[in-house]
Amino acid sequence: MTKDNHPSKTYYPTYDVLSQKNEWDNVTQQVIAERLHSKEGNVLSASHKRTLQALAKCLFPSHLGEQTLSISMVLDQRITNKKLSTFPRGARFTKEEIIIQGLENAERESIFHYHLPFSQLDKKEQLSILESWKGNDGEETIWNAIKSHLFYSTLTSELIKIIYADPHIWSTIGFAGPAYPRGYYAFGPHQFDEWEAKPHDENLL
Amino acid sequence: MTRTSCDVCIVGAGAAGSVVAAHLAKAGLNVFMLDAGPFRSPEKDFASDELEMEKLFWDEPRISEGQDPLDLYRSTSGKGVGGSAVHYTAQLLRFHPSDFQTKTSEDIGEDWPISYEDVEPYYKQMTKRLSLSGPSTFPWKEFGDHFPYPAHHDLSNNTLKFREGLERAGYQHSVSPLAILSAPKADRHPCINRGFCEEGCMPDAKTTPLNTFIPEGLKAGVTLISEATAYRITTDEHGRATSVLYLLDGKQHEIEATTIVIAAYAIETPRLLLASSSETFPNGLANSSDLVGKYLLTNMNDHVLATFPEEIRMYRGNPVQALTMDTYLCGVKYGFKRGFIMNSYGLRPIRLATLFFDNDTKCVGERLRERMLDYNHYVSIAMLGEVIPQHQNAVTLSNQKDQHGLPIPKVTFSHHPNDESIRDKAKDVMKSVLKKAGGTPLYHLKAHAHLMGGCRMGSNPSDSVVTSYGQSHDVENLFIVGSPTFVTAPSANPTLTVYSLAQRSAEYIESYTKRAKG
Ligand SMILES: Cc1cc2nc3c(=O)[nH]c(=O)nc-3n(C[C@H](O)[C@H](O)[C@H](O)COP(=O)(O)OP(=O)(O)OC[C@H]3O[C@@H](n4cnc5c(N)ncnc54)[C@H](O)[C@@H]3O)c2cc1C
Ligand code: SF4
């Protein structure tokens, strides 16, 4: 496969990991169900969430067409459950502090430049703000303790985890997801278990 | 504050702590063991899910700085009974005889105060107790031999391609020695190739402290206190350690003990010692050498990914299934010191997507999606490379305080030029192996695994923190076990040596404590 003939779309258009969910152990079933039907957390405000959703659309435009989780609710839940309590590399703030302060700074920056909340900006304006954060400290008056590049990398890392924890994304990449108690038994070249995605490369064999 | 007393109090119920606890309790001593995290049951508390199982990692703030700041979370930590060994990949190798003498043999690093021969009886014992599986003839006998269980035979495409490439490139290769059952053992079933070893093994096929030393210890009478964080070791006017202070349910508690053992891994062990400074020990406990926290070590664990025309599906089976040790001391040939090993190494989606972004901050959105859509066409292999000990790589206490008002540890890490030479060579070799297997190598993803050092062992109190038994040079009844005592960071995975040296220490601590009790 080369870049030129890359399909840019899934090899497994009909595969659905969730169709197998009754085969998973109870604990995993519950974990995934809670993720898919995430409840409101109690840390992020409505305004944080609007900014977050707009940022997620800029960062992961095409994933979002495929992805089914409510990113803002899952992130809010994770913050509420103290899952973001460590420091990222090179930082002296928790991931939670960086993300919350960063969302507020993004809003301030948007109002400062465009007199509108971030979520109401054009895509072009949103992208230009986002682009200015990468590898940069950010506007000094807004990004003082927490620099814009740190917010950018911390938020993106956390969103990547949530996106690749989505069973619908697993289906698009052909990842068979939870595998207990069933396990894998078909081994050898081109051998797969029947509950996995059907091989798409059969014409190559 | 509640106050209890016992013969031996152990801080940390991971790989090392659990071995020591089981031995001492069986020897009739009254043992208390604390762990900062919960006591989990694989069946009830684990899930087949990467995001959920992040709960196994250390979840408190640590500052990570230096030119090459380390990830102190995903690949280098564990919190809870069983420690990091709950979610280790379980490739268990002995160190090479030269690993104990790098200064003498290659004029780099430092010599250990012990040799391979000192550890060998314990390697043999642990190979049996951990029910290691491995091939009947392992090409590199110093690294492992006489495995009680046969080698795993269900090899993933990821592993088959890796071995094909090695074969064509002229390297020896083998199925890995693993602490994973390849056949039933008592009420435990063999591996079902589920692939989530680094998320904790739900079927309990992987051998960890949770199905060995912890139940053995509990049966012999160990008092295990989970979710209990030790924050200070107290001392008396004679310079002896007297008690462990810990937090449980937000309250302070104290355990007095004849002997205190710290088994809290490479960050929390020096942190606890440094935080236990007093009038008698103003520089921190056991720190007359000023080396507590110094010479922190890790391994480089870079991956190279290649695409193949056919589907590979690297998620199938345990991540690490095969290896070559032929490059272990390859530096001599290429103008640097020491070397690396290579493994097949399957990655699950979150780990892979995270590595892509960590290594290239432009890899978001469409670029990440394009790469991840090819997930099932990648073969992923990894090196494990030796890192040279450096004084400046250290754990210190910062001025920042955590939620309990305790100083947050600061970890500083930068690579030695020799590390970079190993890394560059390994990258080239991995690419050529993947090409020989018929793949197109695309991505080199830098990463680290394992933590060691910070309380190095040695014979001389001025240039080491503990003896080879883990006994503090300064505080006679204080012992340190586990990877913090390591002097160098060999490229063979560390934990068979952690278990083995813990057993060696346990036997010494038994006689010491019995003598001290009178
Ligand atoms: C993802 C991953 C994969 C790995 N794969 C391999 C492999 O394939 N092969 C290999 O050889 N090694 C592997 N390792 C490394 C291995 O897990 C460690 O070398 C080993 O667990 C170290 O043992 P230890 O007892 O020193 O520390 P740990 O096992 O980490 O135990 C330390 C314990 O101390 C507790 N603790 C810390 N501070 C305190 C405190 N203040 N109070 C109370 N308790 C405290 C912690 O909660 C923890 O349970 C892997 C590690 C990880 C994370
Ligand atoms: S692959 Fe085997 S050892 Fe790993 S989690 Fe699955 S059953 Fe356990």
Side-chain angles (χ1 to χ4, degrees):
Chain A
M1 207 167 332
T2 64
K3 261 274 100 328
D4 306 335
N5 65 6
H6 195 291
S8 273
K9 57 181 193 281
T10 175
Y11 295 117
Y12 311 100
T14 58
Y15 180 56
D16 180 10
V17 179
L18 281 174
S19 69
Q20 297 293 318
K21 69 168 189 273
N22 294 335
E23 302 292 329
W24 306 341
D25 65 276
N26 292 337
V27 181
T28 306
Q29 282 193 34
Q30 202 181 329
V31 163
I32 305 293
E34 277 169 17
R35 185 174 304 151
L36 289 169
H37 310 289
S38 189
K39 292 193 214 77
E40 295 280 347
N42 51 28
V43 180
L44 297 182
S45 67
S47 144
H48 289 144
K49 285 186 188 162
R50 279 193 297 272
T51 312
L52 175 63
Q53 281 152 359
L55 277 167
K57 278 189 193 141
C58 295
L59 287 165
F60 300 98
S62 50
H63 283 89
L64 294 184
E66 294 161 340
Q67 167 280 338
T68 52
L69 295 179
S70 163
I71 285 190
S72 57
M73 293 229 267
V74 176
L75 186 66
D76 196 11
Q77 268 299 333
R78 282 174 58 73
I79 297 176
T80 305
N81 293 328
K82 296 281 163 228
K83 304 286 181 190
L84 273 68
S85 53
T86 57
F87 294 171
R89 261 178 289 189
R92 289 176 176 234
F93 299 94
T94 63
K95 293 168 183 168
E96 169 182 338
E97 288 164 339
I98 295 166
I99 288 177
I100 294 172
Q101 184 62 53
L103 290 171
E104 282 163 16
N105 291 355
E107 195 70 346
R108 282 171 56 205
E109 187 165 352
S110 171
I111 288 167
F112 178 77
H113 286 299
Y114 301 102
H115 309 289
L116 277 175
F118 189 86
S119 57
Q120 289 177 27
L121 300 182
D122 293 348
K123 200 47 167 273
K124 228 178 89 197
E125 292 158 350
Q126 289 176 340
L127 286 173
S128 104
I129 292 188
L130 203 148
E131 207 49 47
S132 75
W133 294 339
K134 296 186 189 169
N136 294 316
D137 285 354
E139 296 259 354
E140 232 171 284
T141 49
I142 295 169
W143 300 93
N144 32 56
I146 288 165
K147 305 297 178 206
S148 62
H149 65 86
L150 180 63
F151 170 59
Y152 168 78
S153 59
T154 307
L155 178 69
T156 308
S157 299
E158 287 308 311
L159 295 185
I160 285 175
K161 287 190 207 169
I162 295 174
I163 289 172
Y164 284 93
D166 181 343
H168 290 272
I169 295 287
W170 298 340
S171 301
T172 65
I173 64 172
F175 171 58
Y180 179 68
R182 202 161 29 178
Y184 295 102
Y185 287 95
F187 281 89
H190 313 295
Q191 301 291 308
F192 300 111
D193 289 86
E194 53 139 36
W195 53 274
E196 301 179 63
K198 290 278 159 289
H200 73 87
D201 66 346
E202 266 161 354
N203 52 343
L204 296 170
L205 303 185
Chain B
M1 184 184 296
T2 64
R3 191 170 283 137
T4 332
S5 66
C6 63
D7 296 333
V8 184
C9 178
I10 303 172
V11 177
S18 65
V19 168
V20 175
H23 178 85
L24 297 179
K26 284 188 222 168
L29 292 168
N30 177 12
V31 179
F32 273 59
M33 180 157 62
L34 311 176
D35 201 281
F39 188 4
R40 299 184 179 93
S41 133
E43 187 73 25
K44 291 201 219 97
D45 301 317
F46 292 1
S48 272
D49 186 73
E50 285 184 277
L51 192 63
E52 173 68 12
M53 296 315 293
E54 281 197 352
K55 67 185 177 193
L56 298 175
F57 311 146
W58 192 261
D59 61 357
E60 290 169 50
R62 290 162 165 178
I63 300 167
S64 178
E65 292 180 351
Q67 277 159 32
D68 305 291
L70 297 174
D71 163 41
L72 299 173
Y73 187 59
R74 167 70 183 70
S75 313
T76 50
S77 79
K79 187 178 186 185
V81 176
S84 319
V86 167
H87 48 283
Y88 64 0
T89 324
Q91 174 168 281
L92 291 197
L93 295 165
R94 301 178 187 188
F95 286 169
H96 187 264
S98 72
D99 289 327
F100 297 94
Q101 263 98 38
T102 63
K103 180 84 182 154
T104 302
S105 65
E106 293 199 48
D107 194 24
I108 199 155
E110 192 48 77
D111 289 351
W112 295 48
I114 42 169
S115 67
Y116 184 89
E117 286 70 35
D118 294 314
V119 197
E120 195 177 18
Y122 298 95
Y123 280 149
K124 286 186 178 156
Q125 183 190 142
M126 282 298 166
T127 299
K128 287 205 194 102
R129 289 176 75 185
L130 295 160
S131 315
L132 293 199
S133 62
S136 51
T137 34
F138 192 51
W140 311 274
K141 289 216 180 306
E142 299 105 324
F143 294 100
D145 205 2
H146 295 302
F147 305 108
Y149 279 73
H152 283 256
H153 49 81
D154 289 337
L155 300 181
S156 65
N157 292 333
N158 197 55
T159 300
L160 296 177
K161 289 287 179 198
F162 170 60
R163 297 188 75 181
E164 205 175 306
L166 289 172
E167 180 69 32
R168 293 195 187 139
Y171 291 99
Q172 302 177 91
H173 49 89
S174 167
V175 176
S176 296
L178 297 166
I180 297 180
L181 292 180
S182 56
K185 184 186 182 207
D187 57 349
R188 286 172 56 209
H189 297 290
C191 173
I192 60 166
N193 308 305
R194 185 182 68 115
F196 287 85
C197 309
E198 293 182 4
E199 285 70 35
C201 180
M202 291 188 84
D204 214 21
K206 188 171 71 173
T207 303
T208 76
L210 286 178
N211 48 32
T212 50
F213 309 111
I214 295 290
E216 279 175 35
L218 291 175
K219 200 168 150 217
V222 170
T223 304
L224 174 63
I225 309 176
S226 55
E227 302 187 61
T229 303
Y231 65 92
R232 186 174 175 84
I233 311 294
T234 63
T235 46
D236 63 15
E237 65 280 11
H238 309 294
R240 289 177 65 81
T242 43
S243 71
V244 177
L245 301 179
Y246 66 98
L247 293 165
L248 175 66
D249 293 334
K251 295 194 194 80
Q252 299 180 343
H253 304 265
E254 181 168 20
I255 300 179
E256 291 168 341
T258 308
T259 304
I260 291 172
V261 180
I262 309 181
Y265 208 33
I267 311 295
E268 299 306 310
T269 299
R271 180 193 186 191
L272 186 55
L273 293 174
L274 295 172
S276 299
S277 59
S278 60
E279 244 173 58
T280 324
F281 299 103
N283 205 18
L285 202 54
N287 197 20
S288 65
S289 61
D290 209 15
L291 289 180
V292 167
K294 304 286 168 33
Y295 294 105
L296 183 76
L297 295 158
T298 183
N299 290 124
M300 293 169 284
N301 190 205
D302 301 352
H303 294 246
V304 173
L305 262 70
T307 46
F308 282 71
E310 67 269 44
E311 288 183 63
I312 303 295
R313 306 199 184 191
M314 63 158 106
Y315 57 80
R316 311 177 90 251
N318 61 303
V320 168
Q321 296 185 326
L323 83 176
T324 183
M325 314 285 297
D326 278 1
T327 43
Y328 204 77
L329 296 172
C330 69
V332 187
K333 213 159 70 191
Y334 301 115
F336 53 88
K337 312 280 169 97
R338 314 302 297 161
F340 59 93
I341 67 171
M342 286 185 282
N343 277 115
S344 52
Y345 204 137
L347 301 161
R348 268 121 286 282
I350 292 183
R351 171 89 163 117
L352 177 58
T354 301
L355 273 179
F356 275 143
F357 180 67
D358 273 358
N359 278 272
D360 172 8
T361 50
K362 294 201 184 73
C363 191
V364 285
E366 202 53 26
R367 184 183 294 195
L368 179 64
R369 180 172 172 272
E370 290 221 351
R371 288 192 191 180
M372 291 302 289
L373 282 172
D374 280 343
Y375 178 62
N376 278 347
H377 285 267
Y378 292 129
V379 166
S380 165
I381 68 174
M383 57 83 88
L384 204 57
E386 179 153 350
V387 155
I388 302 302
Q390 296 184 83
H391 184 269
Q392 79 215 39
N393 290 337
V395 180
T396 50
L397 297 183
S398 74
N399 299 328
Q400 259 177 291
K401 299 281 186 328
D402 71 8
Q403 50 168 340
H404 310 296
L406 306 172
I408 289 176
K410 178 177 139 188
V411 176
T412 312
F413 188 85
S414 308
H415 276 296
H416 187 278
N418 196 72
D419 304 349
E420 303 294 353
S421 304
I422 291 178
R423 167 168 261 164
D424 289 346
K425 185 71 205 170
K427 176 175 151 191
D428 292 347
V429 175
M430 287 193 285
K431 281 187 171 175
S432 73
V433 165
L434 288 165
K435 269 193 204 144
K436 292 266 186 204
T440 310
L442 290 180
Y443 310 112
H444 173 238
L445 306 174
K446 291 185 187 176
H448 292 97
H450 315 137
L451 292 176
M452 292 149 279
C455 293
R456 53 159 49 176
M457 58 164 80
S459 313
N460 187 342
S462 67
D463 60 18
S464 60
V465 177
V466 293
T467 69
S468 75
Y469 294 102
Q471 185 173 29
S472 156
H473 290 304
D474 304 345
V475 184
E476 190 192 272
N477 64 335
L478 179 71
F479 289 79
I480 294 164
V481 293
S483 67
T485 66
F486 285 19
V487 179
T488 59
S491 44
N493 313 55
T495 312
L496 188 63
T497 306
V498 168
Y499 285 127
S500 301
L501 289 178
Q503 180 60 32
R504 185 172 177 271
S505 294
E507 291 168 14
Y508 185 91
I509 296 169
E510 177 196 342
S511 46
Y512 169 81
T513 308
K514 286 184 173 166
R515 248 193 348 261
K517 274 178 64 180

